[in-house]
Amino acid sequence: MLSELNYLSLSGNSLSGELPYQIGLLSKLTYLSLWGNNLSGKLPYQIGLLLKLMYLSLSGNNVGGKLTCQIGMLSELNYLSLWGNNLSGELPYQIGMLSKLNYLSLRGNSLSGTGGYGSVYEARLPNKTIVALKKLHRLEAEDPSFDRSFRNEVHILSNIRHKNIVKLYGFCLHNRCMFLVYEYMEKGSLFCALRDDAHAMELDWTKRVEIVKGIAHALSYMHNDCNPPIVHRDISSNNILLNSKMEAFVADFGASRFLDPDSSHQTMVAGTYGYIAPELAYTMVATEKCDVYSFGVVALEIIMGSHPGDFLLSFSSPRCSESKMMLNELLDTRLPLPTRNQEHDIILVLKQVFTCLRSNPKFRPSMITLSREFSQTQKLLTTNSIYATSVEQLCKFPAVSNRKSTTDTILV
């Protein structure tokens, strides 16, 4: 009956039963938050009548069945969180009509949340083990580029083992059935974790620093301990997965390539917009230093809590721009202020990250250098605080030197 209501939050209660279809009568509603209750049944199709709705969160309930296609009617929606329910079936294509949507979380359901290629499902084996199953659709299997990426991922993951790289348990490559079986990651992608306030709060400063280190160790292994070396080519927060302990795992190797130090072949640009190294735009040559740049963007995103965006322009010259911004201004404001020890760790991370973001790849460190720096137990020898150190000052600190003299290897 509250026909003028535009904001409704009933989260964190013990509401049960189905969401009443009369919710569709609240035509002026712009914000609806019902997460953390015991709601069940199907999402009523009348939800599609809320044409002014911009925010919808039903996470952490027991809503089941198929997701109604009427969700595609919510043309103003920019935030949709449905994780931790019992939704099943295919994700309705109408969700692609939500042109203003900038956040979507569906993990923890049994929906098929389609990626760059194929669909990923949560599957339970007879022994109760839960795995992630990535299946290539029939039409995709007939596309040479998708088929090549799928087989490439099998080839790469079958030959590498590292504690911070997602495990491939098995695969089936057949013209009628193509799928991969992966280790299941309970917390989903880093991208989604950083954009969901509740999960971002779980990622305290200590966990975030450890995630940065884990990614660095994985890339160092790929670049230096594999023969031939491997370049990922698509390091982004979407391709970093988190397990139940919020530990980081590099995933999605469809664009990865083995490297040949004697080759000068060029390659098609691969990767995610906002994470691609700038030199790829004009050289079309992928090296390990492209991964280093992408790592720098992801690491900065972890500290800031969102993609750094235009801040990356600060590193468009061999030297850091004359930025007077203080380091504490870069921190994710959703977290409590870091302790003194955490400050030291954050400064260490940012000091290395800034060198990764140089526009000239020759000025970027190698991943093995970064991995070794992060593995050192002693704290950064500085009395400075993040509140008394500017970006400009940190960029002027001596950068780490590459302890292993190498020549960039070129992608075949």
Side-chain angles (χ1 to χ4, degrees), residues 123-135:
R124 186 183 300 272
L125 302 181
N127 64 1
K128 306 302 182 183
T129 301
I130 297 178
V131 296
L133 187 144
K134 184 174 187 177
K135 183 179 180 182

Side-chain angles (χ1 to χ4, degrees), residues 252-264:
D252 202 337
F253 286 78
S256 301
R257 293 290 186 272
F258 289 105
L259 297 178
D260 181 356
D262 299 319
S263 172
S264 59

Side-chain angles (χ1 to χ4, degrees), residues 109-331:
N109 290 283
S110 298
L111 292 163
S112 60
T114 299
Y117 66 96
S119 294
V120 181
Y121 302 84
E122 177 184 332
R124 186 183 300 272
L125 302 181
N127 64 1
K128 306 302 182 183
T129 301
I130 297 178
V131 296
L133 187 144
K134 184 174 187 177
K135 183 179 180 182
L136 199 64
H137 303 304
R138 182 178 59 83
L139 293 178
E140 290 177 326
E142 295 173 357
D143 186 317
S145 61
F146 287 134
D147 180 75
R148 185 167 52 250
S149 293
F150 207 73
R151 293 176 183 274
N152 183 68
E153 191 158 7
V154 170
H155 185 47
I156 295 287
L157 286 176
S158 297
N159 287 278
I160 59 178
R161 290 290 185 274
H162 189 272
K163 65 178 183 179
N164 293 110
I165 294 178
V166 68
K167 294 181 179 64
L168 178 67
Y169 290 145
F171 60 91
C172 177
L173 298 181
H174 188 275
N175 58 1
R176 292 185 179 180
C177 186
M178 298 182 68
F179 63 85
L180 311 179
V181 182
Y182 296 101
E183 178 181 11
Y184 180 69
M185 295 291 160
E186 293 85 350
K187 297 296 184 178
S189 72
L190 175 63
F191 176 89
C192 289
L194 289 174
R195 280 150 185 80
D196 184 281
D197 290 346
H199 287 87
M201 292 292 288
E202 289 185 58
L203 292 174
D204 60 30
W205 293 119
T206 299
K207 287 188 176 71
R208 295 194 188 201
V209 169
E210 289 303 311
I211 288 174
V212 171
K213 292 180 180 179
I215 301 170
H217 297 329
L219 289 175
S220 176
Y221 164 81
M222 292 166 55
H223 292 178
N224 299 277
D225 297 324
C226 294
N227 188 21
I230 299 169
V231 64
H232 189 280
R233 293 211 302 165
D234 195 12
I235 292 296
S236 70
S237 58
N238 262 317
N239 291 334
I240 305 299
L241 304 181
L242 304 175
N243 66 6
S244 59
K245 298 179 182 178
M246 291 296 189
E247 296 170 326
F249 294 79
V250 178
D252 202 337
F253 286 78
S256 301
R257 293 290 186 272
F258 289 105
L259 297 178
D260 181 356
D262 299 319
S263 172
S264 59
H265 294 173
Q266 293 182 325
T267 181
M268 295 296 292
V269 174
T272 302
Y273 180 76
Y275 300 87
I276 301 174
E279 66 270 18
L280 277 177
Y282 53 88
T283 66
M284 302 289 284
V285 175
T287 71
E288 297 105 318
K289 294 299 181 68
C290 297
D291 279 352
V292 173
Y293 181 89
S294 301
F295 163 79
V297 178
V298 172
L300 192 54
E301 184 176 354
I302 292 169
I303 298 299
M304 297 177 67
S306 60
H307 189 278
D310 290 343
F311 181 70
L312 295 175
L313 298 176
S314 303
F315 305 92
S316 58
S317 62
R319 295 184 60 192
C320 194
S321 68
E322 302 299 306
S323 174
K324 305 297 182 182
M325 179 182 290
M326 306 304 290
L327 297 185
N328 66 290
E329 296 180 62
L330 297 178
L331 303 186

